[in-house]
Amino acid sequence: MITKKCLGCGIELQCEDKDKEGFVPEEKLLMQENLLCQRCYKIKNYGQNLKNNFSKKDYEKEVLQSVKKSDIILPIFDIIDFEGSFTDEVLDYLRDYNSIVLINKIDLLPDFIHPTEISNWVKNRLSEEGIVPMDIAFISVKSKYGVNGIIRKINNIFKNKKVRATILGVSNVGKSSIINLLLKDNRITTSKYSGTTLKSINNKIPGTQITIIDTPGLIPVGRVSDLISVESGLKLVPAGEISRKTFKLEENQVFMFDVFCRFKILTSDSESKPIFSAYGSKNVKFHVARQERVSELIKGDFFQILSKEEKEKYFENEFVTKIVEVKENEELVVAGLGWINVKRGILKIEIVYPKAVKVVVREAIFKSKKI
């Protein structure tokens, strides 16, 4: 029998075991082409995900095999959750292979941030890791901005040559959606679930000599969104321009990043009171409270993203408390949730967050104007 692969996720199709990946009814497998496996069909038509038996190592092995056969790699990072997508696994590939770096969701940043600022910031972050890409492309899956620019950049590097370009990145960063835009065809299965793409999928971009390869998402660690349900996690992902609000707090006041993490303002040597802006999804509540009210707010129904049962499960995670200092034009980032940008002074805080979550202080994406 001729081997056929699922058009949506790349898995080899089979008709023997309906509980195994790649199942389709026998008559379809024998008689039809361009098939979707049972899992992709249910994801596309009903939004229903079937569990698969692929491990993190299976995904990593599949990505490595595709990268090795590539002329160039196209790693994709989410500018809104940069730390959640800027992982060691992806960076290791960037050190070893020629690349055009794709920065997704550029349209969700506030309008006052100039593209040149973002470009310089990304280049600096890559440079800190010893990485110099061949080019950087800013894109938006949502608005389709910059997609044709990817093709132009590849053609500029490989003039009149056949090219194999592999897209890679963490799960749910937008790889399959970008490829569908490049192909002008929604053939590859996309969904809110991690691990939708199981095997590498090769497609030739119409009118070009470029073969684009979609790969399974690398499983990230350290994101708040990975500690909660898929449905609740989606509420942490901005659907439009990211929400922002500016604060000037007193000593011992507590800033709450919804129910997910919080920090208390400590005394600082700074002459002026620190001012910071918080950034996150519009679904995420920024709230300021007194220390004695924090427990009541967490246990009550003031914060709406998590149900009572899911909230109880979330707080079963081990939490840590750390004292952190964030200087002017620096940002404190909580991966998979949001960040704060210090606009003035030095912000000294005591932060409480799940131990499994990545929390970093970084150079600000944009420099604040003097207040």
Side-chain angles (χ1 to χ4, degrees), residues 21-48:
E21 294 84 6
F23 177 78
V24 292
E26 184 176 10
E27 63 273 17
K28 283 193 174 184
L29 184 60
L30 293 173
M31 305 299 294
Q32 296 182 22
E33 301 294 329
N34 299 327
L35 291 166
L36 292 178
C37 68
Q38 174 182 246
R39 176 172 167 273
C40 282
Y41 183 84
K42 289 193 173 183
I43 288 174
K44 279 198 167 188
N45 292 285
Y46 304 106
Q48 177 187 350

Side-chain angles (χ1 to χ4, degrees), residues 9 65 102 109 133 150 165 169-170 220-221 226 233 250 260 307 312 358:
C9 71
Q65 288 175 347
L102 310 183
L109 286 175
I150 299 171
V170 301
V221 293
D226 296 321
E250 304 286 343
F260 302 103
S307 66
E312 289 173 356
K358 182 179 179 183

Side-chain angles (χ1 to χ4, degrees), residues 207-219:
T208 76
Q209 297 190 73
I210 303 168
T211 297
I212 196 87
I213 299 111
D214 189 17
T215 58
L218 295 163
I219 306 300

